[in-house]
Amino acid sequence: MIPYENLKRLNTPFINKLKQGFDKVLDNGYYILGPELEAFEKEYAAWHNIPYCVGISNGLDALILSLKACDIPEGSEVIVPSNTYIASILAILNCQLVPVLVEPDLATYNIDPDKIEEAITPNTKAIMVVHLYGKCCQMDKILAIKEQYNLFLIEDCAQAHGATFKGTLAGTFGGFGAFSFYPTKNLGALGDAGAVICDDETHKNTLMQLRNYGSERKYYNDIIGYNNRLDEMQAAFLSAKLPYLEEMNAHRNKLAKLYFDNLNDQFILPVQDADYYDVFHIFNIRHPKRDDLQNYLAEKGIGTVIHYPVAPHQQKALAGVKGLKKSYPIAEEIHKTTLSIPCSFCHTEDEIMQVVEALNNY
Ligand SMILES: *Cc1c(COP(=O)(O)O)cnc(C)c1O
């Protein structure tokens, strides 16, 4: 059996560090907004060479609070890719903003920069890019558009901890870098967790207020806020694992290279390009007989996942949402043919070669 993911195995190398983190919080007696959160925020900002990090309860809330901090009028349009996890779009809808879906580039699976301008109207106020599967978007073109139209930039970095485009880290392109530390992500907590990184002090202060009832000083509330704090325990666990993020990403790259070097040409593989350092949160292949291929691998004891079986615009929840088109053919094509194969920090090279052999015999 080769599971798609095994979190117990993934966290085994960190057991002692995680237990030390647990003990520290228990000894401190601070559980919310204490020294562990402050330490992790400093470390995560420093890791990105950016001034600020604000711990948030999870990735969805990190996106929502980033949009709230932009302080744009309700009903404003936000550009977002049609090929994404639905959380990106839910964040926009939950802020009473209008998602304007732009199709991806079939080569990178990320938003197609050449299709963004035609989607911009006078009501467009922000662009939310999603660095999907651990590959950065083509940010030079996107930043030029952001500047020309004076838009806010929100990066959904939930799958891209440590990914770079032309040497710049995901989350540091000049807006809000929203992260999820859901347990399966490249940097995963032992529960729900998230953060926003940014280089603007005012935005940082607003985010800190928003996550804590709109309050800077206890029992004095300046704005209408939420309870979206990152707790001490998760912060301590994240601090324990952060020093190994680079190594975990390198491991995923080593496994990905085995696929690139050894898979035969019946599969469409992700595009490789020297401008990008990909962190392979997901290693996807595409095949016209995807469902049959998935069953075949399951029979051989190999776990796979489809990211995602239903495109966001085809989800029941989004039926009737204003401005959505009936069809986004490129997103639909990806959702119909994509298959995510094992490529986690928990896998060995030997296991990946077994997956390669099974795939090549298909
Ligand atoms: C996981 C994920 C999120 C949401 O993160 P949570 O911590 O689960 O709320 C948002 N966007 C993308 C692209 C994700 O993969």
Side-chain angles (χ1 to χ4, degrees), residues 326-356:
K326 274 225 157 44
S327 173
Y328 295 86
I330 302 175
E332 286 161 27
E333 174 64 19
I334 296 168
H335 287 250
K336 256 186 246 152
T337 53
T338 190
L339 186 65
S340 309
I341 56 180
C343 187
S344 158
F345 184 63
C346 81
H347 293 117
T348 63
E349 291 175 72
D350 183 57
E351 287 175 315
I352 298 309
M353 285 313 290
Q354 291 177 50
V355 178
V356 166

Coordinates of all heavy atoms in Angstrom, one line a residue, residues 326-356:
K326 N -21.6 30.3 -17.4 CA -22.1 28.9 -17.4 C -20.9 28.0 -17.5 O -20.8 26.9 -16.9 CB -23.0 28.6 -18.5 CG -24.5 29.0 -18.2 CD -25.4 27.8 -18.7 CE -26.7 27.8 -17.9 NZ -27.3 29.2 -17.8
S327 N -19.9 28.4 -18.4 CA -18.9 27.5 -18.7 C -17.5 28.2 -18.7 O -17.4 29.3 -19.2 CB -19.1 26.9 -20.1 OG -18.0 26.1 -20.4
Y328 N -16.5 27.5 -18.1 CA -15.1 27.9 -18.1 C -14.4 26.6 -18.7 O -13.9 25.8 -17.9 CB -14.6 28.3 -16.8 CG -15.3 29.5 -16.2 CD1 -16.5 29.5 -15.6 CD2 -14.7 30.8 -16.5 CE1 -17.1 30.6 -15.1 CE2 -15.4 31.9 -16.0 CZ -16.6 31.9 -15.4 OH -17.2 33.0 -14.9
P329 N -14.3 26.5 -20.0 CA -13.9 25.2 -20.6 C -12.5 24.8 -20.2 O -12.3 23.6 -20.0 CB -13.9 25.5 -22.1 CG -14.6 26.8 -22.3 CD -14.6 27.5 -21.0
I330 N -11.5 25.7 -20.0 CA -10.2 25.2 -19.6 C -10.2 24.6 -18.2 O -9.6 23.6 -18.0 CB -9.2 26.4 -19.8 CG1 -9.2 26.9 -21.2 CG2 -7.8 25.9 -19.4 CD1 -8.3 28.1 -21.5
A331 N -10.8 25.3 -17.3 CA -10.9 24.8 -15.9 C -11.6 23.4 -16.0 O -11.2 22.5 -15.3 CB -11.7 25.8 -15.0
E332 N -12.7 23.3 -16.8 CA -13.4 22.0 -16.8 C -12.5 20.9 -17.4 O -12.6 19.8 -16.9 CB -14.7 22.2 -17.7 CG -15.8 23.0 -17.0 CD -16.8 23.6 -17.9 OE1 -17.0 23.0 -19.0 OE2 -17.4 24.6 -17.5
E333 N -11.7 21.3 -18.4 CA -10.8 20.3 -19.0 C -9.8 19.8 -17.9 O -9.6 18.6 -17.8 CB -10.1 20.9 -20.2 CG -9.0 20.0 -20.8 CD -9.5 18.8 -21.5 OE1 -10.7 18.7 -21.7 OE2 -8.7 17.8 -21.7
I334 N -9.3 20.7 -17.1 CA -8.4 20.3 -16.1 C -9.1 19.4 -15.0 O -8.6 18.3 -14.7 CB -7.8 21.5 -15.4 CG1 -6.9 22.3 -16.4 CG2 -6.9 21.1 -14.2 CD1 -6.5 23.7 -15.9
H335 N -10.2 19.8 -14.6 CA -10.9 19.0 -13.6 C -11.3 17.6 -14.1 O -11.4 16.7 -13.3 CB -12.2 19.8 -13.1 CG -11.8 21.0 -12.2 ND1 -12.1 21.0 -10.9 CD2 -11.2 22.1 -12.5 CE1 -11.6 22.1 -10.4 NE2 -11.1 22.8 -11.4
K336 N -11.5 17.5 -15.4 CA -11.9 16.2 -16.0 C -10.7 15.3 -16.1 O -10.9 14.0 -16.1 CB -12.5 16.4 -17.4 CG -14.0 16.3 -17.4 CD -14.5 16.4 -18.9 CE -15.3 17.7 -19.1 NZ -15.3 18.3 -20.4
T337 N -9.5 15.8 -16.3 CA -8.4 14.9 -16.6 C -7.3 14.9 -15.6 O -6.3 14.1 -15.7 CB -7.7 15.4 -18.0 OG1 -7.4 16.8 -17.8 CG2 -8.7 15.3 -19.1
T338 N -7.3 15.6 -14.5 CA -6.2 15.7 -13.6 C -6.3 14.6 -12.6 O -7.4 14.2 -12.1 CB -6.1 17.1 -12.9 OG1 -4.9 17.2 -12.2 CG2 -7.3 17.3 -11.9
L339 N -5.1 14.1 -12.2 CA -5.0 13.1 -11.1 C -3.7 13.5 -10.3 O -2.6 13.7 -10.8 CB -4.8 11.7 -11.7 CG -4.9 10.6 -10.7 CD1 -6.2 10.5 -10.0 CD2 -4.5 9.3 -11.4
S340 N -3.9 13.6 -9.0 CA -2.7 13.9 -8.1 C -2.2 12.6 -7.6 O -2.9 11.7 -7.0 CB -3.2 14.7 -6.9 OG -3.9 15.9 -7.4
I341 N -0.9 12.4 -7.8 CA -0.2 11.1 -7.4 C 0.7 11.4 -6.2 O 1.1 12.5 -5.9 CB 0.6 10.5 -8.6 CG1 1.6 11.5 -9.2 CG2 -0.4 10.1 -9.7 CD1 2.4 11.0 -10.4
P342 N 1.1 10.3 -5.5 CA 1.8 10.5 -4.2 C 3.1 11.4 -4.4 O 3.9 11.1 -5.3 CB 2.2 9.1 -3.8 CG 1.1 8.2 -4.4 CD 0.8 8.9 -5.7
C343 N 3.3 12.4 -3.6 CA 4.5 13.2 -3.7 C 4.6 14.0 -2.4 O 4.6 15.3 -2.4 CB 4.4 14.2 -4.9 SG 6.0 15.1 -5.1
S344 N 4.7 13.3 -1.2 CA 4.6 14.0 0.0 C 6.0 13.8 0.8 O 6.7 12.9 0.4 CB 3.5 13.4 0.9 OG 3.7 13.7 2.3
F345 N 6.2 14.6 1.8 CA 7.4 14.4 2.6 C 7.4 13.0 3.3 O 8.5 12.5 3.6 CB 7.4 15.5 3.7 CG 8.7 15.5 4.6 CD1 9.9 15.7 4.0 CD2 8.6 15.2 5.9 CE1 11.1 15.7 4.8 CE2 9.7 15.2 6.7 CZ 11.0 15.4 6.2
C346 N 6.2 12.4 3.3 CA 6.1 11.1 4.0 C 6.6 10.0 3.0 O 6.8 8.8 3.5 CB 4.7 10.8 4.5 SG 3.6 10.2 3.2
H347 N 6.8 10.2 1.7 CA 7.1 9.1 0.8 C 8.6 9.0 0.6 O 9.3 9.9 0.6 CB 6.4 9.4 -0.6 CG 4.9 9.3 -0.5 ND1 4.1 10.4 -0.8 CD2 4.1 8.3 -0.2 CE1 2.9 10.1 -0.7 NE2 2.8 8.8 -0.3
T348 N 9.0 7.7 0.3 CA 10.4 7.4 0.0 C 10.5 7.4 -1.5 O 9.6 7.2 -2.2 CB 10.8 6.0 0.6 OG1 10.0 5.0 -0.1 CG2 10.6 6.0 2.1
E349 N 11.8 7.5 -1.9 CA 12.1 7.4 -3.4 C 11.7 6.0 -3.9 O 11.2 5.9 -5.0 CB 13.6 7.7 -3.6 CG 14.0 9.1 -3.3 CD 15.5 9.3 -3.5 OE1 16.0 9.3 -4.6 OE2 16.1 9.5 -2.4
D350 N 11.9 5.0 -3.1 CA 11.5 3.7 -3.5 C 10.0 3.6 -3.8 O 9.6 3.0 -4.8 CB 11.9 2.7 -2.4 CG 11.6 1.2 -2.8 OD1 12.2 0.8 -3.9 OD2 10.9 0.6 -2.1
E351 N 9.2 4.2 -2.9 CA 7.8 4.2 -3.1 C 7.4 4.9 -4.4 O 6.5 4.4 -5.2 CB 7.0 4.8 -1.9 CG 7.0 4.0 -0.7 CD 6.4 4.7 0.5 OE1 6.8 5.9 0.7 OE2 5.6 4.1 1.2
I352 N 8.0 6.0 -4.7 CA 7.7 6.8 -5.9 C 8.1 5.9 -7.1 O 7.3 5.9 -8.1 CB 8.4 8.1 -5.9 CG1 8.0 9.0 -4.7 CG2 8.2 8.9 -7.2 CD1 6.5 9.1 -4.5
M353 N 9.2 5.2 -7.1 CA 9.6 4.4 -8.2 C 8.6 3.3 -8.4 O 8.3 2.8 -9.6 CB 11.0 3.8 -8.0 CG 12.1 4.8 -8.2 SD 11.9 5.9 -9.7 CE 12.3 4.6 -11.0
Q354 N 7.9 2.8 -7.3 CA 6.8 1.8 -7.5 C 5.6 2.4 -8.2 O 5.0 1.8 -9.0 CB 6.4 1.2 -6.2 CG 7.4 0.4 -5.5 CD 7.0 -0.1 -4.1 OE1 5.9 -0.6 -3.9 NE2 7.8 0.1 -3.1
V355 N 5.4 3.7 -7.9 CA 4.3 4.4 -8.5 C 4.6 4.6 -10.0 O 3.8 4.4 -10.9 CB 4.0 5.8 -7.9 CG1 2.9 6.5 -8.6 CG2 3.6 5.6 -6.4
V356 N 5.9 4.9 -10.3 CA 6.3 5.1 -11.7 C 6.1 3.8 -12.5 O 5.5 3.9 -13.6 CB 7.8 5.5 -11.7 CG1 8.4 5.4 -13.1 CG2 8.0 7.0 -11.2

